[in-house]
Amino acid sequence: MAELSIEAGGKTVTSVRDRQNRIYRSHVVVPLLDVAEWLVSNWWHLWYEIADTSEQKPGFEQRHNLAFAGDGFVLPKLTMVPASERLHLRWTRWAPRHARVEFVEEAETYVDRAELEAEFRNIVDAVLERLRSVPDGRAALESLDKAWEAINTLDQDEREFGCAAALLGMDPFDVQDSMANAIMAFWERTEPSIREDALASADEGSLSRVSAWLDDAVATLARTDNENAWAEIRRVMPPVQLAEPWRQGYELANWLRGHLGIGDGRFDFQSDGPLAVYHHETVSPCSRIQGLVAASAPTCVTTRRNETGTRFLLARALGDYFGRPDSGFGILSSLFTDRQALSRAFAAELLAPAESLRVRLEHKSPEHETIDELGQEFGVSSQVIVHQIENHNLPTPIASRFPLR
């Protein structure tokens, strides 16, 4: 048993109120063996399995929420998911029904992956050391030590497979040979710039469809004339110094609108000419993939959408092209990653700039300026307007079919 206290982002995740004694404390008392076993069992998922902004894969919560490590003891609802080189941590208040304590903190933050991994390794090593020192710890010691050694003695190829399987939502130590071969084949033949997003978007049942779709999409983009002015515009684009990917997207979109002299009105895509964003429509191989962007231009293959949905995907293709750190294809998806966040923020700001919305919301009667009307003016969905209002703290219109929550 141990007093476990977790701090992140300047807050104490394990802050609890003892309902019986009516006191507050910064820790919970739990057996760390349960925590260590949960960490080792979900090691690959914690570092590589990417979250989705709409619907998670089966078992995702159990693999990423520390509360599932309790095994009868109470732990905080702390969800940890990878986001590029960081981990996104989110915890919520909750009062377990049959426990005397309730968790009182609720927040989210990002932490450095290397720092968090070092903390987790310290926990596992400390539990192993403790088990070696107690007479009745041999059975638990052998089980945990064997699993921990398996993780730490993998060679480079085995670690790559562990990453690939976890991206797909599978335990790399529990994969049938046929599926393992399919995963390795996909990893080796898919371009590095998109293979992680492609695997994270797929699942065991859709991997073959995703592979075939990528082949067709790459071939389609290769047949498309990519000669236009976007490459020259990208060359004169100033460097972005902001850390948060969504802020990078906002800044790039505002710079592009200024560079093109659009003003504060609607942005329309050209169907032909030097500033055209050529695209082809297709059927998505899975629910998470929304498009593929060419390596040398914002030319893209997108899934079928209505007019506003297509405009948003084209804007995301532009955002991916301008925001990508290196050359290579780019996937558009619903995944929770820095790259996807940048393209979504870029698209929202390019099509419905926050300052343009602010002017309209501040200088017109709210009852006549509904979210629907703003969406029609800028050619975006009402949900995009809602997100812009929320994310930029804009005035809230009174008359709205989409109440802000």
Side-chain angles (χ1 to χ4, degrees):
M1 301 295 290
E3 292 183 355
L4 176 64
S5 179
I6 303 173
E7 295 182 2
K11 294 185 178 294
T12 304
V13 181
T14 46
S15 289
V16 294
R17 173 180 176 269
D18 190 316
R19 290 179 286 192
Q20 181 174 330
N21 298 324
R22 297 183 179 181
I23 61 173
Y24 290 85
R25 63 173 185 264
S26 61
H27 65 270
V28 291
V29 180
V30 294
L32 279 189
L33 174 59
D34 291 340
V35 175
E37 289 177 335
W38 182 83
L39 289 174
V40 172
S41 296
N42 297 288
W43 192 257
W44 295 101
H45 299 291
L46 287 170
W47 309 121
Y48 298 110
E49 186 179 15
I50 300 172
D52 188 69
T53 57
S54 55
E55 182 181 359
Q56 307 296 0
K57 294 178 180 177
F60 185 91
E61 191 72 9
Q62 289 88 333
R63 296 190 291 270
H64 293 267
N65 189 335
L66 183 64
F68 286 92
D71 194 24
F73 289 84
V74 176
L75 286 163
K77 287 188 174 180
L78 169 63
T79 301
M80 301 169 281
V81 295
S84 300
E85 294 303 313
R86 305 175 298 169
L87 265 82
H88 178 243
L89 271 57
R90 178 175 55 85
W91 58 98
T92 58
R93 302 183 189 94
W94 76 298
R97 180 179 300 178
H98 302 295
R100 58 189 286 179
V101 299
E102 59 181 315
F103 293 88
V104 297
E105 287 283 1
E106 182 170 283
E108 60 182 315
T109 189
Y110 287 87
V111 298
D112 181 76
R113 170 183 166 161
E115 291 182 9
L116 186 59
E117 181 176 343
E119 292 290 345
F120 286 169
R121 286 185 174 277
N122 286 339
I123 290 175
V124 177
D125 289 339
V127 169
L128 286 171
E129 182 179 355
R130 174 64 173 164
L131 289 173
R132 293 187 184 99
S133 68
V134 296
D136 57 350
R138 180 173 299 277
L141 170 63
E142 290 179 355
S143 175
L144 182 62
D145 193 31
K146 181 179 179 180
W148 191 228
E149 183 181 10
I151 288 174
N152 290 297
T153 56
L154 298 177
D155 60 30
Q156 179 60 34
D157 290 340
E158 290 169 330
R159 286 195 296 270
E160 280 194 355
F161 177 78
C163 168
L167 283 164
L168 203 58
M170 304 183 70
D171 183 348
F173 292 106
D174 187 24
V175 181
Q176 294 184 352
D177 290 344
S178 59
M179 192 65 209
N181 292 333
I183 293 172
M184 289 187 291
F186 185 95
W187 184 266
E188 292 171 358
R189 70 193 297 267
T190 305
E191 183 177 328
S193 66
I194 58 173
R195 63 187 178 191
E196 291 190 7
D197 275 14
L199 275 170
S201 300
D203 53 35
E204 183 176 356
S206 64
L207 184 61
S208 60
R209 295 197 303 273
V210 170
S211 181
W213 182 87
L214 285 175
D215 289 343
D216 291 342
V218 169
T220 298
L221 292 175
R223 295 192 298 267
T224 304
D225 182 8
N226 292 323
E227 292 296 327
N228 53 39
W230 292 116
E232 181 58 34
I233 293 174
R234 189 173 186 269
R235 275 193 287 271
V236 300
M237 177 182 70
V240 178
Q241 305 297 333
L242 300 171
E244 296 89 347
W246 52 92
R247 296 189 186 278
Q248 294 176 23
Y250 295 149
E251 182 170 312
L252 287 173
N254 284 318
W255 175 85
L256 182 60
R257 288 183 69 95
H259 182 79
L260 298 177
I262 298 170
D264 73 343
R266 172 177 171 136
F267 175 85
D268 281 315
F269 293 93
Q270 296 182 7
S271 59
D272 200 4
L275 293 180
V277 177
Y278 297 107
H279 80 286
H280 306 266
E281 290 192 344
T282 183
V283 177
S284 177
C286 64
S287 62
R288 296 176 180 87
I289 287 183
Q290 300 163 355
L292 181 71
V293 187
S296 58
T299 304
C300 53
V301 172
T302 64
T303 56
R304 294 191 178 99
R305 295 287 193 274
N306 58 20
E307 181 181 355
T308 59
T310 297
R311 280 171 49 79
F312 196 76
L313 285 180
L314 295 182
R316 285 193 63 189
L318 265 179
D320 183 83
Y321 175 69
F322 278 102
R324 62 181 54 163
D326 303 302
S327 61
F329 292 99
I331 282 213
L332 304 178
S333 75
S334 59
L335 296 176
F336 186 86
T337 67
D338 287 355
R339 185 166 180 172
Q340 302 300 326
L342 186 153
S343 74
R344 285 191 286 264
F346 177 97
E349 189 68 11
L350 178 70
L351 299 179
E355 287 308 307
S356 299
L357 295 178
R358 187 187 301 278
V359 169
R360 285 154 175 77
L361 292 167
E362 288 180 345
H363 292 85
K364 292 186 179 181
S365 300
E367 62 268 21
H368 299 300
E369 194 65 31
T370 67
I371 287 176
D372 282 349
E373 290 170 346
L374 288 170
Q376 292 170 8
E377 177 183 351
F378 287 97
V380 297
S381 70
S382 298
Q383 288 90 339
V384 171
I385 301 296
V386 167
H387 286 309
Q388 285 290 83
I389 290 173
E390 292 177 334
N391 294 335
H392 295 274
N393 296 316
L394 303 180
T396 303
I398 295 175
S400 170
R401 274 199 312 120
F402 294 86
L404 302 185
R405 295 184 293 272

